[in-house]
Amino acid sequence: MTGGRTAVEWLASVAPDPEACRFEWERNPMGVALLPAGRAWDVLILPGRLGYPTLDVLSRVLDRPGPVLVDFGDARTGFFVPPGTAARWLGTGIRTAGRGTWIVVPYPGRSTGGVRWLVPPDGSGTLTDPALLELAMHEAAAGLATEGDG
């Protein structure tokens, strides 16, 4: 499971003390860590109703989008994007996590009772391009609007 180890190291690298974070995270029965956004990545958080269709659109145009989280109940979907994106994002109804915010991140490859990976990180640092994500969101929203008309 070299890829899993690499993903853990990549995620933990943003913690104030990466070694302590990884040590605690690997032993945490909940399988989650609180990590700061804004260093290696920001997160754009879409309502679940828009998140899944957006991921479907992205998956048609990309071999592999960046990491994507979903919370329990599928109420929100978080797309990992380059740092600085949250500060510039103007989308209505989209929450952001950037510098100065922390997010709950599940241990890659381990199921938790709440937040889980839809697209786990592979450790390479791949992130979703925010412009492409915005286009995918528009296409997904248009599809949802069309469904509502039928």
Side-chain angles (χ1 to χ4, degrees):
M1 181 145 159
T2 310
R5 173 64 64 197
T6 306
V8 169
E9 290 169 356
W10 178 71
L11 288 166
S13 72
V14 302
D17 183 344
E19 280 302 310
C21 171
R22 205 172 91 220
F23 182 83
E24 289 299 318
W25 198 10
E26 289 172 349
R27 287 153 184 78
N28 181 333
M30 297 294 291
V32 297
L34 194 58
L35 296 176
R39 292 184 180 175
W41 35 260
D42 284 358
V43 183
L44 296 182
I45 305 162
L46 284 60
R49 178 162 160 69
L50 181 59
Y52 278 101
T54 298
L55 180 56
D56 287 344
V57 172
L58 279 175
S59 297
R60 288 196 306 262
V61 296
L62 293 174
D63 286 336
R64 180 176 170 81
V68 180
L69 287 173
V70 67
D71 69 358
F72 51 88
D74 296 345
R76 288 179 293 276
T77 309
F79 292 81
F80 280 51
V81 293
T85 302
R88 297 185 305 273
W89 193 262
L90 300 174
T92 303
I94 307 302
R95 295 176 50 204
T96 62
R99 186 164 295 284
T101 60
W102 294 69
I103 64 166
V104 174
V105 179
Y107 191 92
R110 192 183 301 164
S111 62
T112 67
V115 179
R116 67 185 191 284
W117 293 107
L118 288 178
V119 178
D122 62 7
S124 70
T126 299
L127 299 168
T128 297
D129 178 285
L132 189 57
L133 177 60
E134 184 175 14
L135 290 172
M137 286 170 30
H138 286 294
E139 184 174 326
L144 291 171
T146 303
E147 279 179 21
D149 293 341

